[in-house]
Amino acid sequence: MADPHSPTRPTRRRLGHRWLLVFPFIWQACLAPAVNDIALTPFGLPFPMFWQMAGIVLTSVVIAIVFRLDARAGVEAEEAAFLAHSLKAHEDGAP
């Protein structure tokens, strides 16, 4: 059973910004069928191809934002504590 006071236990309040990662999924999985029939050709590209390229840019921006917010929330410190705890458990012979 997980220790509720473990430094590796995430809190909901601190990681709530990770819901931003849903936007690229919605962009690609939910909205792509809606843009398949659009006849516009921005930059000479078919619109669905332009949509996918814009989705790549959107995804990169969202991941960068989440990365920065994770750093601000102290996730790197939690990861370091988790790795130290795992290394100590490995040295002690725990599975």
Side-chain angles (χ1 to χ4, degrees):
M1 184 167 195
D3 180 16
H5 302 293
S6 171
T8 60
R9 183 181 166 95
T11 60
R12 286 184 171 211
R13 184 178 62 86
R14 293 176 55 197
L15 301 178
H17 60 273
R18 288 189 176 176
W19 279 100
L20 291 171
L21 297 171
V22 172
F23 289 117
F25 176 77
I26 291 171
W27 182 279
Q28 295 293 329
C30 298
L31 297 178
V35 300
N36 277 340
D37 295 332
I38 296 176
L40 293 176
T41 55
F43 305 112
L45 296 171
F47 191 77
M49 183 179 285
F50 176 77
W51 180 264
Q52 293 296 324
M53 294 172 109
I56 291 169
V57 173
L58 171 75
T59 301
S60 299
V61 169
V62 167
I63 289 172
I65 290 169
V66 169
F67 181 79
R68 302 271 297 188
L69 292 175
D70 271 353
R72 189 177 295 169
V75 172
E76 292 174 358
E78 290 178 13
E79 290 174 352
F82 174 78
L83 290 174
H85 178 74
S86 297
L87 188 61
K88 183 178 182 313
H90 180 71
E91 290 174 354
D92 292 342

